[in-house]
Amino acid sequence: MAKLIDSMKRFFDPLHYPPEGEEFDDGAELLRASPGVRQFGHTFRTVQLPSAQEPDKPLPLDEGASALLALAQEIRGNAYAKYSGFHVGAALLTASGKVYLGVNVENASYPNGCCAERSAVSAAITAGEREFTAIAVCGEPASVPCYPCGMCRQVLAEFGGPDFPVILADGIYPLRSMLPYAFTL
Ligand code: THU
């Protein structure tokens, strides 16, 4: 019973329980043996995780990348960001040399909002494009890199290869550095 109580305390307050330096039976055996308790999940204080690797440094912006970024910044003004107040613009360059623009489009039902990157991809695909050369993304303020969210990274990976350039305020990132091990079917 004492073990069970310990486990429950630790589950509900894993950061502060057990108190520093106090002898503690982690109750793992008990948890393993009791599916009813285990279903709540538990944390093991003893687990050591390796530290994450530094991500790749971006390449410096060149003239073309800066021009695409300027378009992303310009279209950002059209963002519909009624709920977050965070305006984002994206400019997607295709192999045919055209640029498709996108902004974030939010919704009262928050999860229905769409990011600028995916708006740009939708515009390009709708126009019949399939080959993308680079994307530039501009958030707020324009001088701070607006890293694409995980969902957008996966969407970009659908059309761009691992070297697909993602142009942000602080440089050019190969997509692979943002989304290693992209999901594929
Ligand atoms: N957002 C984008 O449009 N692109 C990004 O790269 C990050 C986030 C939008 C989604 C939402 O409308 C707002 O920024 C705040 O999360």
Side-chain angles (χ1 to χ4, degrees):
M1 193 56 175
K3 273 185 183 179
L4 179 63
I5 291 168
D6 265 355
S7 301
M8 295 306 275
K9 280 186 179 168
R10 193 173 51 150
F11 173 71
F12 287 112
D13 191 10
L15 289 180
H16 305 107
Y17 190 83
E20 200 70 50
E22 203 165 285
E23 210 41 58
F24 179 68
D25 178 343
D26 77 10
E29 237 170 76
L30 179 89
L31 286 163
R32 269 194 283 276
S34 320
V37 171
R38 200 172 49 162
Q39 74 183 4
F40 290 107
H42 54 273
T43 43
F44 288 92
R45 293 195 134 215
T46 46
V47 171
Q48 294 290 319
L49 294 174
S51 53
Q53 270 188 313
E54 276 291 309
D56 293 351
K57 289 263 179 292
L59 298 168
L61 294 172
D62 58 15
E63 210 180 317
S66 299
L68 203 59
L69 202 51
L71 292 176
Q73 182 172 353
E74 198 181 322
I75 202 63
R76 184 187 62 169
N78 287 353
Y80 181 74
K82 187 174 173 183
Y83 303 98
S84 72
F86 188 76
H87 301 76
V88 187
L92 181 63
L93 179 65
T94 65
S96 64
K98 290 187 182 148
V99 175
Y100 293 85
L101 303 172
V103 295
N104 52 332
V105 183
E106 298 188 347
N107 191 273
S109 175
Y110 292 2
N112 295 349
C114 187
C115 292
E117 297 89 322
R118 278 176 292 135
S119 295
V121 168
S122 297
I125 293 293
T126 304
E129 301 282 357
R130 290 292 183 271
E131 272 185 69
F132 302 153
T133 309
I135 191 168
V137 186
C138 178
E140 292 189 81
S143 56
V144 172
C146 176
Y147 297 109
C149 76
M151 197 187 275
C152 288
R153 293 176 194 203
Q154 181 66 37
V155 168
L156 293 174
E158 180 75 21
F159 302 103
D163 294 325
F164 182 73
V166 180
I167 301 163
L168 306 182
D170 65 343
I172 308 171
Y173 293 77
L175 185 57
R176 108 184 86 77
S177 73
M178 297 197 157
L179 189 69
Y181 314 112
F183 177 75
T184 53
L185 278 178

